[in-house]
Amino acid sequence: MKIPIFLVLIHAIFGFDTVFADVTTTIKASSNYGNWEGWGTSLAWWAAAFGDRDDLADIVFSLGQVSFNGLSLPGLGMNIVRYNAGATSSNSYNGESIVKSPKIIPSRLIDGYWIDWQSTDPASSSWLWSVDSKQRSMMQKAKSRGANLFELFSNSPMWWMLNNHNPSGSDNGSSDNLQTWNHQQFAVYLANIAQYAKKNWGITFNTVEPFNEPIANWWNGKSGTQEGCHFNVATQQDVLPYLRSELNNRGLSSTVISASDENSYDSAISTWKGLNSTAKATVGQINVHGYQYGNGDRTGLYQQAVGSGKKLWNSEYGESDATGSQLISNVILDFRFLHPTAWVYWQIIDGGGWGLITGDNTALSLSGPTQKYFVLAQLTRHIRPGMRILDSGCDYAVAAYDASAKKLVIVAVNWDSAQYLNFDLSQFGTPGQNGATIQRWSTQIGSGEQYATYKDTVLSGSKFWSHFATNQVQTFEVPGVVI
Ligand SMILES: *[C@@H]1O[C@H](CO)[C@@H](O)[C@H](O)[C@H]1NC(C)=O
Ligand SMILES: *[C@@H]1O[C@H](CO)[C@@H](O)[C@H](O)[C@H]1NC(C)=O
């Protein structure tokens, strides 16, 4: 941003180095909330629908400029892929077959690989490895574009393992649906997929997550719209050791178990506290979903993770606010209080404001990106794997540092009236070179600029500033910074 005339005059007359705040934040150079592992998405529905599309793979997993729908979109550069092990098959066995929810949305049933209980042998006819080809195709496209972290996750065990054979959930949503005799079979299912993927797909899953919002009871019942399954904490505790030993038995002892993907920060804390020490020892990474938005005890969950020596991921986030306002606000809360080392958006393509790209996974229709897409690009394209997450010193920005490139990244939003936001880098050993150009990118929440870029901002001593409209998001890359 050019220095406004009145500031130049004040500078000339009074020789101040300080800018008239509007607002100043001092980036805490010595802070360290861990090395960033990356940004990602769950495949599941959108990839099962559109997994053969190279343009979508480019949009999500590359950093290139991608032609889409008459636009040139900046790729999001995501590097984390969550692959969904399905729960559905259309066969009958011993006179039994799947029971579907009356409200099921067809694109939300994902074909699973273990179609009957005759054999645990993945080479037998009880296993059908040809299904779900589009989701696998998108996983391969992601890998070839640089994705390097893969998680296998389940929304529900295979239908035949369930009390009511309905992969949307138990009869009342509050009770377990996995039959007791299938606790170990479910672990065999996931371990066989992980082993098969390594041998046959060239995909080594870093983590395996057996649960999806297991303690929830309001959406995962027999009349749900998607696959889901309730697991009491005691049942989770029973399944986790089975999963650990089934993975180990297949030479996958370095595959980490992540759990429990609870819906909220608060339920993640209570589930984690409820697991006994044997179960906790099987888990290497605590996954949580961000559906508590502006509420919940993020700090408490971070303390549980640090105290137990576990990694912490926000493994699923989504909402219907297509403007990007909720997204940036909750990412900032996560960076400030939860301190995850990875952050995963739920569905790239969806309707009702939920998608980064608007579309319908059942009707196979696609339209354009939402403004939320560009708000997320402000983060994912700049805060990159390996960067050290810093304390931004304020509640309207996040900061990350790339030690090898000597680059400081700041992403900020202005919720107030139009004003200058000032950034003070005086805590850094070298805050960059006086006069250095700081490239910036800009997106207006709601509508307006979409990831526009400018080279009009300079470092002045150890400070810089930029003018922000209300609800404007800006990303800055400051070169030559040494902590
Ligand atoms: C749900 O069903 C289970 C098993 O039938 C029962 O034990 C439990 O009390 C039910 N819960 C509710 C809230 O109805
Ligand atoms: C934890 O629970 C599991 C499964 O119920 C059990 O096998 C194990 O012995 C328990 N561990 C402890 C330390 O109580």
Side-chain angles (χ1 to χ4, degrees), residues 123-176:
S124 75
S125 62
S126 292
W127 295 75
L128 193 57
W129 292 103
S130 58
V131 300
D132 197 31
S133 62
K134 284 197 183 174
Q135 208 195 159
R136 286 201 309 283
S137 161
M138 185 54 77
M139 179 156 63
Q140 296 294 355
K141 290 179 194 301
K143 186 183 176 195
S144 67
R145 285 158 179 78
N148 62 345
L149 288 176
F150 298 88
E151 178 162 271
L152 176 65
F153 80 101
S154 167
N155 283 327
S156 164
M158 286 300 305
W159 62 266
W160 55 262
M161 300 180 186
L162 307 170
N163 286 316
N164 64 4
H165 289 185
N166 183 334
S168 290
S170 63
D171 286 351
N172 64 16
S174 309
S175 58
D176 282 347

Coordinates of all heavy atoms in Angstrom, one line a residue, residues 123-176:
A123 N -7.9 -61.5 -0.9 CA -7.8 -62.0 -2.2 C -9.0 -62.9 -2.5 O -9.2 -63.4 -3.7 CB -6.5 -62.9 -2.3
S124 N -9.9 -63.1 -1.6 CA -11.1 -63.9 -1.8 C -12.2 -63.2 -2.5 O -12.2 -61.9 -2.6 CB -11.6 -64.5 -0.4 OG -12.3 -63.4 0.3
S125 N -13.3 -63.9 -2.8 CA -14.4 -63.2 -3.5 C -15.3 -62.5 -2.5 O -16.2 -61.8 -3.0 CB -15.3 -64.3 -4.2 OG -15.8 -65.2 -3.3
S126 N -14.9 -62.5 -1.3 CA -15.7 -61.6 -0.3 C -15.2 -60.1 -0.4 O -15.8 -59.3 0.2 CB -15.4 -62.1 1.1 OG -16.1 -63.3 1.3
W127 N -14.2 -59.9 -1.2 CA -13.6 -58.6 -1.3 C -13.7 -58.1 -2.8 O -13.3 -58.9 -3.7 CB -12.2 -58.5 -0.9 CG -12.1 -58.8 0.6 CD1 -12.2 -60.0 1.2 CD2 -11.9 -57.8 1.6 NE1 -12.1 -59.9 2.6 CE2 -11.9 -58.6 2.9 CE3 -11.7 -56.5 1.7 CZ2 -11.7 -57.9 4.1 CZ3 -11.5 -55.9 2.9 CH2 -11.5 -56.6 4.1
L128 N -14.3 -57.0 -3.0 CA -14.5 -56.4 -4.4 C -13.7 -55.2 -4.5 O -14.1 -54.1 -4.1 CB -16.0 -56.2 -4.6 CG -16.5 -55.9 -6.0 CD1 -16.1 -57.1 -6.9 CD2 -18.0 -55.8 -5.9
W129 N -12.5 -55.3 -5.1 CA -11.6 -54.1 -5.1 C -11.8 -53.2 -6.3 O -11.1 -52.2 -6.4 CB -10.1 -54.7 -5.1 CG -9.8 -55.3 -3.8 CD1 -9.7 -56.7 -3.6 CD2 -9.6 -54.7 -2.5 NE1 -9.5 -56.9 -2.2 CE2 -9.4 -55.7 -1.6 CE3 -9.5 -53.3 -2.1 CZ2 -9.1 -55.4 -0.2 CZ3 -9.3 -53.0 -0.8 CH2 -9.1 -54.1 0.1
S130 N -12.8 -53.5 -7.2 CA -13.0 -52.7 -8.3 C -13.9 -51.5 -8.0 O -14.0 -50.6 -8.8 CB -13.6 -53.5 -9.5 OG -14.8 -54.1 -9.0
V131 N -14.6 -51.5 -6.9 CA -15.6 -50.5 -6.6 C -14.9 -49.2 -6.3 O -13.7 -49.1 -6.0 CB -16.6 -50.9 -5.5 CG1 -17.4 -52.1 -5.9 CG2 -15.9 -51.1 -4.2
D132 N -15.7 -48.1 -6.3 CA -15.2 -46.8 -5.8 C -14.0 -46.2 -6.6 O -13.1 -45.6 -6.1 CB -14.8 -46.9 -4.3 CG -14.7 -45.5 -3.6 OD1 -15.5 -44.6 -4.1 OD2 -13.9 -45.3 -2.7
S133 N -14.0 -46.5 -7.9 CA -12.9 -46.1 -8.7 C -12.7 -44.6 -8.8 O -11.5 -44.1 -8.9 CB -13.0 -46.7 -10.1 OG -14.1 -46.2 -10.7
K134 N -13.7 -43.8 -8.8 CA -13.5 -42.4 -8.9 C -12.9 -41.7 -7.7 O -12.0 -40.8 -7.8 CB -14.9 -41.7 -9.2 CG -15.3 -41.9 -10.6 CD -16.4 -40.9 -11.0 CE -16.9 -41.2 -12.4 NZ -18.0 -40.3 -12.8
Q135 N -13.2 -42.2 -6.5 CA -12.6 -41.7 -5.3 C -11.1 -42.0 -5.4 O -10.2 -41.2 -5.0 CB -13.2 -42.2 -4.0 CG -13.1 -41.2 -2.9 CD -13.5 -41.8 -1.5 OE1 -13.0 -41.2 -0.6 NE2 -14.2 -42.9 -1.4
R136 N -10.8 -43.3 -5.8 CA -9.4 -43.7 -5.9 C -8.6 -42.9 -6.9 O -7.5 -42.5 -6.8 CB -9.2 -45.1 -6.2 CG -9.6 -46.0 -5.0 CD -8.9 -47.4 -5.2 NE -9.2 -48.0 -6.5 CZ -10.4 -48.6 -6.8 NH1 -11.4 -48.7 -5.9 NH2 -10.6 -49.1 -8.0
S137 N -9.4 -42.6 -8.0 CA -8.8 -41.8 -9.1 C -8.3 -40.4 -8.7 O -7.2 -40.0 -8.9 CB -9.8 -41.8 -10.3 OG -9.4 -40.7 -11.2
M138 N -9.2 -39.8 -7.9 CA -8.9 -38.5 -7.4 C -7.7 -38.5 -6.4 O -6.8 -37.7 -6.4 CB -10.1 -37.8 -6.7 CG -9.9 -36.3 -6.3 SD -9.2 -35.2 -7.6 CE -10.7 -34.9 -8.6
M139 N -7.6 -39.6 -5.6 CA -6.5 -39.8 -4.7 C -5.2 -39.9 -5.5 O -4.2 -39.3 -5.1 CB -6.7 -41.0 -3.8 CG -5.6 -41.3 -2.8 SD -6.1 -42.2 -1.4 CE -6.6 -43.8 -2.2
Q140 N -5.2 -40.6 -6.6 CA -4.0 -40.7 -7.4 C -3.7 -39.4 -8.1 O -2.5 -39.0 -8.2 CB -4.2 -41.8 -8.5 CG -4.4 -43.2 -8.0 CD -3.2 -43.8 -7.3 OE1 -2.1 -43.2 -7.2 NE2 -3.3 -45.0 -6.7
K141 N -4.7 -38.7 -8.5 CA -4.4 -37.4 -9.1 C -3.8 -36.4 -8.1 O -2.9 -35.6 -8.4 CB -5.7 -36.8 -9.7 CG -6.2 -37.5 -11.0 CD -7.5 -36.9 -11.5 CE -8.2 -37.8 -12.5 NZ -7.4 -38.1 -13.7
A142 N -4.3 -36.5 -6.9 CA -3.8 -35.7 -5.8 C -2.3 -36.0 -5.6 O -1.5 -35.1 -5.5 CB -4.6 -35.9 -4.5
K143 N -2.0 -37.3 -5.5 CA -0.6 -37.7 -5.3 C 0.3 -37.2 -6.4 O 1.4 -36.7 -6.1 CB -0.6 -39.3 -5.1 CG 0.8 -39.7 -4.7 CD 0.9 -41.3 -4.7 CE 2.4 -41.6 -4.4 NZ 2.6 -43.1 -4.7
S144 N -0.2 -37.4 -7.6 CA 0.7 -36.9 -8.7 C 0.9 -35.4 -8.7 O 1.8 -34.9 -9.4 CB 0.2 -37.5 -10.0 OG -1.0 -36.9 -10.4
R145 N 0.1 -34.7 -8.1 CA 0.2 -33.2 -8.0 C 0.9 -32.8 -6.7 O 1.0 -31.6 -6.4 CB -1.2 -32.6 -8.1 CG -1.7 -32.6 -9.6 CD -3.2 -32.4 -9.6 NE -3.6 -32.4 -11.0 CZ -3.8 -33.5 -11.8 NH1 -3.5 -34.7 -11.3 NH2 -4.2 -33.4 -13.0
G146 N 1.4 -33.8 -5.9 CA 2.2 -33.4 -4.8 C 1.6 -33.7 -3.4 O 2.2 -33.4 -2.4
A147 N 0.3 -34.2 -3.3 CA -0.2 -34.5 -2.0 C 0.7 -35.6 -1.4 O 1.1 -36.5 -2.0 CB -1.6 -35.0 -2.1
N148 N 1.0 -35.4 -0.1 CA 1.9 -36.3 0.6 C 1.5 -36.8 1.9 O 2.2 -37.5 2.6 CB 3.3 -35.5 0.8 CG 3.1 -34.3 1.7 OD1 2.0 -33.9 1.9 ND2 4.2 -33.8 2.2
L149 N 0.2 -36.5 2.3 CA -0.3 -37.0 3.6 C -1.7 -37.6 3.3 O -2.6 -36.9 2.8 CB -0.4 -35.9 4.6 CG 0.9 -35.4 5.2 CD1 0.7 -34.3 6.2 CD2 1.7 -36.6 5.9
F150 N -1.8 -38.9 3.6 CA -3.0 -39.6 3.3 C -3.6 -40.2 4.5 O -2.9 -40.9 5.3 CB -2.7 -40.7 2.2 CG -2.2 -40.2 0.9 CD1 -0.8 -40.0 0.7 CD2 -3.1 -39.9 -0.1 CE1 -0.4 -39.5 -0.4 CE2 -2.6 -39.4 -1.3 CZ -1.2 -39.1 -1.5
E151 N -4.9 -40.0 4.7 CA -5.6 -40.6 5.8 C -6.8 -41.4 5.3 O -7.5 -41.0 4.5 CB -6.2 -39.5 6.8 CG -6.9 -40.1 8.0 CD -7.1 -39.1 9.1 OE1 -6.2 -39.0 10.0 OE2 -8.1 -38.3 9.1
L152 N -6.9 -42.6 5.8 CA -8.0 -43.5 5.6 C -9.0 -43.3 6.7 O -8.7 -43.4 7.9 CB -7.5 -45.0 5.6 CG -8.6 -46.1 5.4 CD1 -9.2 -46.0 4.0 CD2 -7.9 -47.4 5.6
F153 N -10.2 -42.9 6.3 CA -11.2 -42.7 7.4 C -12.6 -43.4 7.0 O -12.8 -43.7 5.9 CB -11.5 -41.2 7.6 CG -12.4 -40.5 6.7 CD1 -13.7 -40.3 7.0 CD2 -12.0 -40.1 5.4 CE1 -14.6 -39.6 6.1 CE2 -12.8 -39.4 4.5 CZ -14.1 -39.2 4.9
S154 N -13.3 -43.7 8.1 CA -14.6 -44.4 8.0 C -15.7 -43.6 8.5 O -15.6 -43.0 9.6 CB -14.5 -45.7 8.7 OG -15.8 -46.3 8.9
N155 N -16.8 -43.5 7.8 CA -18.0 -42.9 8.3 C -18.9 -44.0 9.0 O -19.6 -43.7 10.0 CB -18.9 -42.3 7.2 CG -18.3 -40.9 6.8 OD1 -17.7 -40.2 7.7 ND2 -18.4 -40.6 5.6
S156 N -18.8 -45.2 8.5 CA -19.6 -46.3 9.1 C -18.9 -47.6 8.7 O -18.3 -47.7 7.6 CB -21.0 -46.4 8.6 OG -21.6 -47.6 8.9
P157 N -18.9 -48.6 9.6 CA -18.4 -50.0 9.1 C -19.3 -50.5 8.0 O -20.4 -50.0 7.8 CB -18.6 -50.8 10.4 CG -18.6 -49.9 11.5 CD -19.2 -48.6 11.0
M158 N -18.9 -51.5 7.3 CA -19.7 -52.2 6.3 C -21.1 -52.5 6.8 O -21.2 -52.9 8.0 CB -19.1 -53.5 5.8 CG -17.9 -53.3 4.9 SD -18.1 -52.4 3.3 CE -19.4 -53.2 2.5
W159 N -22.1 -52.3 6.0 CA -23.5 -52.5 6.5 C -23.8 -53.8 7.2 O -24.5 -53.9 8.2 CB -24.5 -52.4 5.3 CG -24.3 -53.5 4.2 CD1 -23.5 -53.3 3.1 CD2 -24.8 -54.8 4.2 NE1 -23.5 -54.5 2.4 CE2 -24.3 -55.4 3.0 CE3 -25.7 -55.5 5.0 CZ2 -24.7 -56.7 2.7 CZ3 -26.0 -56.8 4.7 CH2 -25.5 -57.4 3.5
W160 N -23.1 -54.9 6.7 CA -23.4 -56.2 7.3 C -22.8 -56.4 8.7 O -23.1 -57.3 9.4 CB -23.0 -57.3 6.4 CG -21.5 -57.3 6.0 CD1 -21.0 -56.8 4.8 CD2 -20.4 -57.8 6.7 NE1 -19.7 -57.0 4.7 CE2 -19.3 -57.6 5.9 CE3 -20.2 -58.4 7.9 CZ2 -18.0 -57.9 6.3 CZ3 -18.9 -58.7 8.3 CH2 -17.8 -58.5 7.5
M161 N -21.9 -55.4 9.1 CA -21.4 -55.5 10.5 C -22.3 -54.8 11.5 O -22.0 -54.8 12.7 CB -20.0 -54.8 10.5 CG -19.0 -55.3 9.6 SD -17.4 -54.4 9.7 CE -16.4 -55.1 8.4
L162 N -23.4 -54.2 11.0 CA -24.2 -53.3 11.8 C -25.5 -54.1 12.3 O -26.0 -54.9 11.6 CB -24.6 -52.1 11.0 CG -23.5 -51.4 10.4 CD1 -24.0 -50.3 9.4 CD2 -22.6 -50.7 11.4
N163 N -25.9 -53.7 13.5 CA -27.1 -54.3 14.1 C -28.3 -54.2 13.1 O -29.0 -55.2 13.0 CB -27.5 -53.6 15.4 CG -26.5 -53.9 16.5 OD1 -26.2 -55.1 16.7 ND2 -26.1 -53.0 17.3
N164 N -28.5 -53.1 12.5 CA -29.7 -52.9 11.7 C -29.4 -52.9 10.2 O -30.2 -52.6 9.4 CB -30.5 -51.6 12.1 CG -29.6 -50.4 11.8 OD1 -28.5 -50.4 11.3 ND2 -30.2 -49.2 12.2
H165 N -28.1 -53.2 9.9 CA -27.7 -53.3 8.5 C -27.8 -51.9 7.7 O -27.9 -51.9 6.5 CB -28.4 -54.4 7.7 CG -27.9 -55.8 8.2 ND1 -28.3 -56.9 7.6 CD2 -27.0 -56.1 9.1 CE1 -27.7 -58.0 8.2 NE2 -26.9 -57.5 9.1
N166 N -28.0 -50.9 8.5 CA -28.2 -49.6 7.9 C -27.0 -48.7 8.1 O -26.7 -48.3 9.2 CB -29.5 -48.9 8.5 CG -29.8 -47.6 7.9 OD1 -28.9 -46.9 7.3 ND2 -31.1 -47.2 7.9
P167 N -26.2 -48.4 7.0 CA -25.0 -47.6 7.2 C -25.2 -46.1 7.5 O -24.2 -45.4 7.7 CB -24.2 -47.8 5.9 CG -25.3 -48.0 4.9 CD -26.5 -48.7 5.6
S168 N -26.4 -45.7 7.6 CA -26.7 -44.3 8.1 C -26.7 -44.2 9.6 O -26.5 -43.1 10.1 CB -28.0 -43.8 7.6 OG -27.9 -43.6 6.2
G169 N -26.9 -45.3 10.3 CA -26.8 -45.3 11.7 C -27.8 -46.2 12.4 O -28.6 -46.9 11.8
S170 N -27.7 -46.2 13.7 CA -28.5 -47.1 14.6 C -30.0 -46.6 14.6 O -30.3 -45.5 14.1 CB -28.0 -47.2 16.0 OG -28.0 -45.9 16.6
D171 N -30.9 -47.4 15.2 CA -32.3 -47.1 15.1 C -32.6 -45.8 15.8 O -33.5 -45.1 15.3 CB -33.1 -48.3 15.7 CG -33.1 -49.5 14.8 OD1 -32.7 -49.3 13.6 OD2 -33.6 -50.5 15.2
N172 N -31.9 -45.5 16.9 CA -32.2 -44.2 17.5 C -31.0 -43.2 17.5 O -31.1 -42.2 18.1 CB -32.8 -44.4 18.9 CG -31.8 -45.0 19.8 OD1 -30.6 -45.1 19.5 ND2 -32.3 -45.5 21.0
G173 N -30.0 -43.6 16.9 CA -28.8 -42.7 16.8 C -27.9 -42.6 18.0 O -26.8 -42.3 17.9
S174 N -28.5 -43.0 19.2 CA -27.8 -42.9 20.4 C -27.1 -44.2 20.8 O -26.4 -44.2 21.8 CB -28.7 -42.5 21.6 OG -29.5 -41.4 21.2
S175 N -27.5 -45.2 20.1 CA -26.9 -46.5 20.6 C -25.9 -47.0 19.5 O -25.9 -46.6 18.4 CB -28.0 -47.6 20.7 OG -28.7 -47.7 19.5
D176 N -25.0 -47.9 20.0 CA -24.0 -48.4 19.0 C -24.7 -49.2 17.9 O -25.7 -49.9 18.2 CB -23.1 -49.4 19.8 CG -22.0 -48.6 20.6 OD1 -21.9 -47.4 20.4 OD2 -21.4 -49.3 21.5

